Amino acid sequence: MRFNWNIFKMVFLLIIVSGLYAFTNNRSKNKEIKDLKIEFVGIDNLYLTNESVNKLLIQNYGSLKNITKEKLVLNTIEKVIEANEMVKSAQVYLTVDGELTSKIVQRRPIGRVEGITKFYVDDEGKRMPLSKYHSARVPIITGKITGESLEDVYVILKHINSDEFLRKNVIGIHIDDVDKYQLKFRMENFVVNLGGVDSLTEKFNNFKAFYTKANKDKTLEEYNMVSLEFDNQVVCTKI
């Protein structure tokens, strides 16, 4: 019986590869965390700090430095970070250099409710607590705060944030009743009666056309009430 060198070579190669894989895998598991890196992704990262995230991790895990990779469950760490009410999402991974990196997207407030309970409304329409690190410059929401009215306010806020003129000038939304919302502007003394959240694009376009003309004619100060409640009309009340 002739000895098959080709089979011998394949078996030997397989043993070598398996050994290298086992060695590398074992070495990877035993790799220790050398440093922690927290990176905030996106803009307006003002409501959470590196120190507060570090404190959160220490409270849950103690010091993560010098812990081996084998003892880490990255998905669990992500969930711990995402449990913070200022966090929208988190991604945690270990680099080849042993650096545990956390990429965090913070939530973004677009309105602030001033009622018995104070909180933000974020860009997904969810409640977001106030931050001790920063106070957002967003429209103040007052009046009859209910779950239904906040849903409408979120619709109004989305329109405001999608328009540069409105975003710069609207500083407040007052909830007078269901389907009765008022806007307060930064530089003007009049109140805008918006009515309900129907036909918002048309209402805001009509208002901007009125504002441009009245500003050109220098008559804005003559009005104390501007109503957009009626179909395709801007009804003004003079002082």
Side-chain angles (χ1 to χ4, degrees):
M1 181 177 177
R2 297 181 60 184
F3 186 79
N4 194 322
W5 282 100
N6 289 331
I7 295 177
F8 175 78
K9 290 177 182 178
M10 289 180 63
V11 172
F12 181 74
L13 182 61
L14 182 61
I15 293 172
I16 294 296
V17 171
S18 299
L20 287 173
Y21 174 79
F23 173 76
T24 304
N25 189 48
N26 185 64
R27 186 176 180 182
S28 176
K29 287 182 178 179
N30 291 320
K31 181 181 291 184
E32 294 182 346
I33 297 174
K34 301 299 182 185
D35 198 9
L36 300 177
K37 180 182 178 182
I38 296 168
E39 180 180 342
F40 293 114
V41 181
I43 59 175
D44 295 334
N45 294 310
L46 304 168
Y47 311 101
L48 196 62
T49 65
N50 287 39
E51 290 75 17
S52 58
V53 176
N54 273 325
K55 184 178 179 181
L56 178 66
L57 293 175
I58 289 172
Q59 287 174 342
N60 284 272
Y61 298 100
S63 177
L64 285 170
K65 288 186 178 181
N66 299 322
I67 291 179
T68 60
K69 180 181 178 181
E70 188 178 25
K71 295 181 180 179
L72 286 178
V73 182
L74 300 182
N75 288 340
T76 303
I77 298 176
E78 287 178 356
K79 290 178 181 178
V80 167
I81 296 174
E82 289 175 342
N84 186 288
E85 292 183 299
M86 298 297 174
V87 175
K88 187 173 185 178
S89 63
Q91 180 185 9
V92 179
Y93 59 91
L94 188 64
T95 68
V96 293
D97 298 324
E99 183 178 71
L100 185 67
T101 300
S102 302
K103 288 192 173 183
I104 300 171
V105 178
Q106 294 190 25
R107 296 172 69 185
R108 184 171 70 90
I110 58 175
R112 173 172 174 154
V113 173
E114 288 291 326
I116 297 176
T117 304
K118 296 176 172 58
F119 56 90
Y120 290 124
V121 176
D122 74 1
D123 57 357
E124 294 183 336
K126 299 175 182 178
R127 295 190 180 204
M128 173 182 171
L130 304 184
S131 170
K132 64 181 180 180
Y133 302 108
H134 180 75
S135 180
R137 296 184 65 181
V138 292
I140 302 299
I141 303 159
T142 57
K144 297 180 180 179
I145 310 295
T146 66
E148 183 179 354
S149 65
L150 281 181
E151 289 180 7
D152 286 348
V153 165
Y154 173 57
V155 174
I156 297 170
L157 287 169
K158 285 199 298 182
H159 275 265
I160 290 172
N161 274 273
S162 66
D163 185 280
E164 184 178 2
F165 169 78
L166 297 173
R167 188 170 60 252
K168 288 182 177 179
N169 289 284
V170 176
I171 61 171
I173 302 174
H174 181 72
I175 306 168
D176 193 40
D177 209 338
V178 178
D179 289 337
K180 290 187 180 294
Y181 301 94
Q182 296 178 337
L183 304 182
K184 181 173 177 55
F185 281 72
R186 188 177 306 279
M187 300 301 293
E188 315 304 337
N189 293 322
F190 57 74
V191 173
V192 177
N193 276 340
L194 189 62
V197 295
D198 57 295
S199 306
L200 283 180
T201 300
E202 290 79 6
K203 288 179 179 180
F204 284 134
N205 285 340
N206 290 338
F207 173 76
K208 287 191 289 183
F210 152 77
Y211 189 96
T212 300
K213 186 178 186 306
N215 189 45
K216 182 179 179 180
D217 297 340
K218 298 182 179 180
T219 59
L220 285 173
E221 293 182 358
E222 297 178 10
Y223 305 104
N224 64 357
M225 185 74 71
V226 178
S227 178
L228 307 175
E229 297 177 83
F230 308 102
D231 291 342
N232 205 32
Q233 296 183 59
V234 178
V235 179
C236 305
T237 304
K238 289 191 174 183
I239 297 174

